[in-house]
Amino acid sequence: MAKIKPSKGAPYARILGVGGYRPTRVVPNEVILEKIDSSDEWIRSRSGIETRHWAGPEETVAAMSIEAAGKAIADAGIDAAQIGAVVVSTVSHFSQTPAVATEIADKLGTDKAAAFDISAGCAGFGYGLTLAKGMVVEGSAEYVLVIGVERLSDLTDLEDRATAFLFGDGAGAVVVGPSQEPAIGPTVWGSEGDKAETIKQTVPWDRFRLGDVSELPLDSEGNIKFPAITQEGQAVFRWAVFEMAKVAQQALDAAGISPDDLDVFIPHQANVRIIDSMVKTLKLPEHVTVARDIRTTGNTSAASIPLAMERLLATGEAKSGDTALVIGFGAGLVYAATVVTLP
């Protein structure tokens, strides 16, 4: 029986560079209030959101990804041709096939890099990071580009008081490459499909093909609504606060560190109240910098963690070499948490 030659990868993997892109249009809460019965004070108190970015016609999923990726590649100090794989997490690229990752890989100038999309909602960046780590250590790619990108303004029902104010657009990217020491810890990840109804798309795409208007939601003017993201806010809040704090602690335990060893906490930017509750439950020390990028970026799903990471490093609130706990959670319901060394 022939023996298969073992793979030769790096001993470990690390994040080498990070980049972000936020659309040029800044949307304050006052714009959201044109369609829902609420107030700026209510939105801020419930979510922490003051403004968000919405993409224009030219700021496509691919275009935003290329901008963020270019910054991450430059930050990593490598050439695009060295990228061996491109992993894109998104739920808002509306072409079923081909994967938008293939377009991104080509336009960046990679040398025929492997390229694929994943759909893991707000945990998508964590899923992609875990896959990238495996590729680098296994040896199938020396450098992997991981992108979280969303145009959630396309999937927002502006008449839905529960979600109209939540979502924003943007792209965040990291380059994962070889390391001589551990810099991406074990991932604690999973899914709870029995709770899938708590965050979902309002109408499946095939309902439009059937053409039965009576089965489709209508807006206040009687027009057919485009599918949007809907959620059961209280159920999601309870799950995130109580269950995700446990997952975050498991990630710390898996990495062999305690909250006192952390420098930075970068949770998915879903809601400031969720973030603050997790900080309290985890008993994070005051010296730990906590990302609250949601205030001016909104909930950008798969893009939220890399965008928050990029901003913390750009503002100096976090620095290269800091130890950070990252956790994403959302539709599925899915989750992923790990400890990383910041680039």
Side-chain angles (χ1 to χ4, degrees), residues 89-121:
S89 178
T90 185
V91 299
S92 48
H93 177 59
F94 293 149
S95 292
Q96 195 72 38
T97 192
V100 71
T102 59
E103 176 185 350
I104 295 166
D106 176 63
K107 289 185 176 179
L108 284 172
T110 68
D111 185 16
K112 300 180 180 178
F116 58 95
D117 299 349
I118 58 176
S119 176

Side-chain angles (χ1 to χ4, degrees), residues 132-169:
K133 173 187 173 183
M135 283 185 260
V136 171
V137 173
E138 186 270 340
S140 60
E142 184 176 12
Y143 299 100
V144 180
L145 178 64
V146 179
I147 302 169
V149 56
E150 302 292 3
R151 269 184 60 119
L152 293 181
S153 58
D154 292 335
L155 287 168
T156 299
D157 180 354
L158 294 177
E159 295 182 347
D160 180 0
R161 188 174 184 272
T163 61
F165 58 90
L166 286 176
F167 303 118
D169 303 336

Side-chain angles (χ1 to χ4, degrees), residues 94-270:
F94 293 149
S95 292
Q96 195 72 38
T97 192
V100 71
T102 59
E103 176 185 350
I104 295 166
D106 176 63
K107 289 185 176 179
L108 284 172
T110 68
D111 185 16
K112 300 180 180 178
F116 58 95
D117 299 349
I118 58 176
S119 176
C122 306
F125 175 74
Y127 275 49
L129 185 64
T130 302
L131 295 173
K133 173 187 173 183
M135 283 185 260
V136 171
V137 173
E138 186 270 340
S140 60
E142 184 176 12
Y143 299 100
V144 180
L145 178 64
V146 179
I147 302 169
V149 56
E150 302 292 3
R151 269 184 60 119
L152 293 181
S153 58
D154 292 335
L155 287 168
T156 299
D157 180 354
L158 294 177
E159 295 182 347
D160 180 0
R161 188 174 184 272
T163 61
F165 58 90
L166 286 176
F167 303 118
D169 303 336
V174 299
V175 173
V176 177
S179 175
Q180 294 302 308
E181 58 185 29
I184 301 176
T187 299
V188 177
W189 57 353
S191 65
E192 297 184 31
D194 60 316
K195 299 180 179 66
E197 292 296 306
T198 56
I199 307 175
K200 64 179 183 179
Q201 181 174 309
T202 51
V203 181
W205 300 115
D206 61 359
R207 292 274 286 278
F208 281 81
R209 183 177 61 185
L210 298 176
D212 186 352
V213 177
S214 65
E215 294 293 321
L216 298 174
L218 305 177
D219 64 19
S220 58
E221 298 178 356
N223 300 311
I224 296 174
K225 285 186 177 182
F226 192 74
I229 297 172
T230 184
Q231 69 175 28
E232 298 174 13
Q234 287 302 313
V236 173
F237 182 86
R238 288 193 298 270
W239 176 77
V241 168
F242 296 109
E243 298 303 321
M244 292 305 98
K246 297 175 186 176
V247 171
Q249 184 60 57
Q250 290 169 13
L252 291 175
D253 295 341
I257 67 172
S258 72
D260 289 337
D261 299 316
L262 278 180
D263 300 303
V264 186
F265 179 43
I266 311 177
H268 165 48
Q269 302 294 291

